[in-house]
Amino acid sequence: MVRRTLLAAIPALILFMPAAGFCEGYGFYSWGRSWPTVGAPDIKELAWLQGIELDLQYDHFTFGLLFDSNPPPEELFGYRFAAGVDIALASFEGISNGGAFESLGELYGDSFDAIGYGFEIKFGYSIGLLRREYMRIWVGPAVRLNYNYLDQDAVTVGYQDFSVQVDPSMGMNLSAGGGIEAGINFKLTCDMRLELSGGFHYNFFGYYQDVDYNYGSFKYSETSFLMGQEPFAFVQLAVHIY
C-alpha cells in the first residue's frame, strides 16, 4: 500500500515541474481517465467467467514534449504532435453479465488493480475559431496511441471446494483511437504561451496477460488476450517557449 501511494504521488509532483525543464521548446502535462470494458479471458479452470465483461478504470498521468506548428502570429490551421511518458493507475470497477458469479468474478478482477508504466503518442490538427494577438481558441481532431506495462499483484479466487491463486507474471495494455480536442492559448510574453486544453477520445483497447495459476499441488500458466473499447477524457496544460 505504501509503495502504491508513493508511486501515485510521483505524477502529481511532476505536474509542478517547470515545462522548460524538459528542453528548450514545449512541455505538456495531462491527466486523463478512461473506462475500458473487456471480455473475460478464455481460461478453462475459470470457465465460469466466460460471457461476462470486466469493467476497468485508468487514471493516466502523462508528461513530455508537445510540438505545435502554429506559433505567433496565429494562423487559421495548425498541426500538433505530442510524445510523453505515461503512468497509469489501473483499477477493477466491476463486471457485467456475471449473474450468480459476480462476487467471484470480482475476486479475480482484483488482479487488474495495478500501476502501469509506458508512453503516449498523439497527433492532432487544430482550427482557430477565435484568433487574437494575445489569444487563440481552437478545436480539431486527434489520434492517440498509448501503451502501459502493468505491475500486478497475485490474488486468490475461491470457487466451490477449491481455491485458485492467480499470479499475473506479465500484463500489458495497448489502446489506439481518436476523437475531438479543443483548447485556448494565451500569449504571456513575446516568446511564451500558456495552453489549456481537453478532449474526448474513443479507443480500441487490448489487454495481454501471462498468468500463473496454483491450486493444491498443481501449477500451470495461461496467456490471454482481451479486447474491448475505451472511452477516454482528459485535460492538459502546456507551456510553449519560442
Side-chain angles (χ1 to χ4, degrees), residues 5-223:
T5 301
L6 290 175
L7 289 172
I10 290 174
L13 294 175
I14 291 173
L15 292 177
F16 294 97
M17 295 172 58
F22 290 104
C23 74
E24 184 178 358
Y26 319 89
F28 81 91
Y29 319 92
S30 73
W31 169 81
R33 174 167 289 179
S34 66
W35 300 269
T37 299
V38 296
D42 184 14
I43 301 169
K44 62 182 180 180
E45 298 299 332
L46 300 177
W48 41 272
L49 285 174
Q50 297 308 301
I52 72 173
E53 292 185 331
L54 307 178
D55 300 321
L56 311 176
Q57 179 177 288
Y58 278 64
D59 283 303
H60 291 273
F61 298 87
T62 311
F63 58 97
L65 301 178
L66 168 67
F67 174 76
D68 189 337
S69 70
N70 202 353
E74 305 291 5
E75 301 292 339
L76 178 60
F77 303 109
Y79 63 88
R80 299 158 56 83
F81 170 74
V85 175
D86 183 71
I87 299 176
L89 305 182
S91 62
F92 176 78
E93 295 298 302
I95 66 175
S96 304
N97 307 320
F101 297 116
E102 285 194 6
S103 60
L104 297 176
E106 289 174 0
L107 290 175
Y108 169 70
D110 288 343
S111 68
F112 289 89
D113 293 347
I115 298 174
Y117 309 91
F119 64 85
E120 174 189 282
I121 299 174
K122 187 165 58 175
F123 296 89
Y125 189 77
S126 66
I127 303 170
L129 301 180
L130 178 63
R131 294 173 291 132
R132 298 290 186 268
E133 181 181 355
Y134 60 90
M135 179 180 66
R136 180 177 189 254
I137 299 176
W138 57 269
V139 66
V143 294
R144 172 179 176 268
L145 175 69
N146 172 247
Y147 165 83
N148 291 109
Y149 178 85
L150 299 163
D151 181 15
Q152 299 171 291
D153 296 325
V155 299
T156 299
V157 179
Y159 179 61
Q160 294 183 353
D161 296 329
F162 70 93
S163 62
V164 180
Q165 185 185 49
V166 181
D167 185 8
S169 58
M170 179 184 294
M172 298 182 291
N173 69 258
L174 182 70
S175 63
I180 191 75
E181 299 184 0
I184 180 170
N185 294 8
F186 295 98
K187 186 175 180 179
L188 302 180
T189 67
C190 61
D191 57 359
M192 181 181 294
R193 284 189 302 173
L194 177 67
E195 175 188 304
L196 297 174
S197 61
F200 179 82
H201 291 188
Y202 196 84
N203 305 317
F204 295 102
F205 186 86
Y207 197 111
Y208 173 84
Q209 270 192 330
D210 189 354
V211 185
D212 295 326
Y213 297 92
N214 301 274
Y215 59 97
S217 60
F218 187 69
K219 177 179 179 179
Y220 74 101
S221 298
E222 288 269 7
T223 59

